[in-house]
């Protein structure tokens, strides 16, 4: 028997999640020597992703949504990387690292059924394991699908990216630059803005709390001699309204998040009529529903090598060591926080 | 010299247009016997379309938009049908009817340049001339493009159509039924609702002023065992919000108008986050920018014959005889009005 840590869904939050109340760390016992059932594997968790969409899973089970609700009293889960320490499944060998849905536990037995969702990571590129839940994981796929499959962004165009210091934003910037497009990006602190400007070489950066997005976008359009063509929307709210005001005719808006509306009262968008007047195409998606085996192949052949070679900037990650009482998760909703980059828990 | 009537853009309206103030009828003199310049034609106006989008043209000239502003002191224009009474242009013969932008005047000389935008109507189908600015004109093209080219509506699906007694709505209903889809339609008076139900055989009709669209759509979804898949949005505002609440995953919203927001304070849409959560495709368009020669050919080979044969219900038109002081145009924005159907001015 060993003591393992687990992060439990303890209480449905009203607004922002509260550490120790919404989520709570508990210690459990697990017998690492117990025999595995046929098809099971025992995994030592390496890294766990923290993502805003998990807030949407902290709801009453009877409320339907695009992802299942977390169960009260049970550990939460999300994409993670783990090391196989014991296997009764011919698809997985001891020592391999696997990627997929894992519980927020330091060790876990993965059932035969659940192993079907796991993918063995070869990591020939030698990326840090945490990258595989960030730029080389679901957030990276989201950015890649948004820019390359939906936005139609072309060389010589410009793209506005909100929430740009999130893991989706970072890779979206790299992909936009690779295409030959210019980027206007927003974030919520001076540190984040400095990073976007200095490290990611974003052409125009603004702190949405200090500068009016309408003024920034109007000035950008004037400077470029034409309005920006694409908006990658992480936030909804007033920045979406400003984007609608200033995006060009036949503009494309790709919606990947609405973090402004996730906690508390949503913002009322008062200029949605531009969808008609400017003939916009405004499309949202959930990457979990979009990635086919062909798309995975394409993504993995393109993104991890570009990260490893330095063609794309090294992903900025904020690594939390070990499971806490939910402070790490709560930090996702605190834009004052000077920590930034893709939030990930490391258990190595 | 003859006296002709002209409808002048007299004053920029603040909210709804005011008859006699925003628009004003004047009498002008025109010498029908004066020789035409090379390429000109003299047209006796047959019918003129009245459309809500014309409100957007009643603005200061310096404000940019997708259609040019009307000039103060000059006659307004729109799509119309006219009879060629004299021609100095080899493309047009006396007695032919032409379709295109015409001034709101009983007679008019069309310049050589402007004749390039006119199309000769053969009308082999024998439709009333007024139909050619309605179901067989721009509003019909709008409905056809929305349903057949953008919505992806399929047999067995259902579609919510707001502002359904407008000319776009009427043809959209016919096209949806032809595909084998069911229709939920809204309008703003008992008379309109009765017409939609009894004449257009719409499966579920509601008066948006008396019934809550959220309740109607929730009940519809329950009855069908699945949510509706497509929303054709003529209005924006609370009906768009209700559609976002109740449309199914991967739903398609085609935006063709926002009449709720055209006069006065726009409504704030508070659930735009569903574009992400439900992976919606929400697209707007201006038919004037979309119709290619190929699409015109397709449209004219499909729609006028279906109207003439009775396969589609006879378009409901509200015909105003002669030019007035703008009362006819103002009626477009008065949903209390018991007159309904495509508003058109007949000058025959």
């Amino acid at each position: 028997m060993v003591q393992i840590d687990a992060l439990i869904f303890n209480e449905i939050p009203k607004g922002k999640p509260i550490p120790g109340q919404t989520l709570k760390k508990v210690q459990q016992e697990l017998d690492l020597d117990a025999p595995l059932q046929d098809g099971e594997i025992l995994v030592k968790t390496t890294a766990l992703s923290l993502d805003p969409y998990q807030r949407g899973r902290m709801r009453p089970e009877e409320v339907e949504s695009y992802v299942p609700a977390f169960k009260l009293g049970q550990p939460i889960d999300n994409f993670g990387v783990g090391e196989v320490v014991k296997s009764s499944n011919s698809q997985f060998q001891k020592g391999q690292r696997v990627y997929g849905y894992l519980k927020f536990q330091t060790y876990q037995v993965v059932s035969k059924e659940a192993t079907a969702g796991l993918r063995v990571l070869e990591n020939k590129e030698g990326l840090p394991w945490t990258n595989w839940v960030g730029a080389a994981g679901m957030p990276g796929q989201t950015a890649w699908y948004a820019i390359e499959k939906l936005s139609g962004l072309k060389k010589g165009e410009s793209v506005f990216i909100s929430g740009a210091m999130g893991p989706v934003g970072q890779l979206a910037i790299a992909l936009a630059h690779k295409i030959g497009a210019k980027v206007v990006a927003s974030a919520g602190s001076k540190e984040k803005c400095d990073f976007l400007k200095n490290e990611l070489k974003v052409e125009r950066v603004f702190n949405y709390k200090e500068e009016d997005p309408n003024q920034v976008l109007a000035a950008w359009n004037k400077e470029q001699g034409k309005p920006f063509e694409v908006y990658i929307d992480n936030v909804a709210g007033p920045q979406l309204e400003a984007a609608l005001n200033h995006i060009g005719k036949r503009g494309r808006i790709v919606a990947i998040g609405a973090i402004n509306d996730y906690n508390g009262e949503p913002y009322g968008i008062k200029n949605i009529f531009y969808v008609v007047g400017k003939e916009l195409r405004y499309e949202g998606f959930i990457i979990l529903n979009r990635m086919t085996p062909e798309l995975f192949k394409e993504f993995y052949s393109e993104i991890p090598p570009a990260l490893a070679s330095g063609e794309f900037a090294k992903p900025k990650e904020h690594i939390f060591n070990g499971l806490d009482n939910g402070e790490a998760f709560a930090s996702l909703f605190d834009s004052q926080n000077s920590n930034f980059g893709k939030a990930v828990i490391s258990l190595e």
Side-chain angles (χ1 to χ4, degrees), chain A residues 165 189 191-192 316-320 331 334-342:
Chain A
M165 262 314 292
S189 75
E191 290 78 7
K192 291 177 181 178
K316 174 82 174 160
E317 294 177 342
H318 182 74
I319 296 176
F320 295 86
S331 76
D334 177 11
S335 58
Q336 298 294 348
N337 200 322
S338 63
N339 297 326
F340 61 92
K342 164 65 186 143

Side-chain angles (χ1 to χ4, degrees), chain A residues 203-244:
Chain A
E203 283 77 6
R204 177 71 170 89
V205 178
F206 68 99
N207 181 337
Y208 69 90
K209 291 172 183 167
E210 294 182 352
E211 289 192 78
D212 175 357
N214 280 294
Q215 283 178 16
V216 173
L217 296 172
W220 172 263
N221 289 350
K222 204 174 165 188
E223 208 178 286
Q224 300 299 309
K226 61 172 185 158
F228 65 95
E229 288 86 357
V230 171
Y231 174 43
I232 306 292
D233 186 15
N234 265 300
V235 301
Q239 292 192 73
L240 171 58
E241 203 167 71
L244 286 163

Side-chain angles (χ1 to χ4, degrees), chain A residues 34-46:
Chain A
L36 293 172
Q37 303 279 325
D38 183 49
E40 288 182 341
I41 59 176
L42 175 66
V43 168
K44 179 178 186 302
T45 315
T46 309

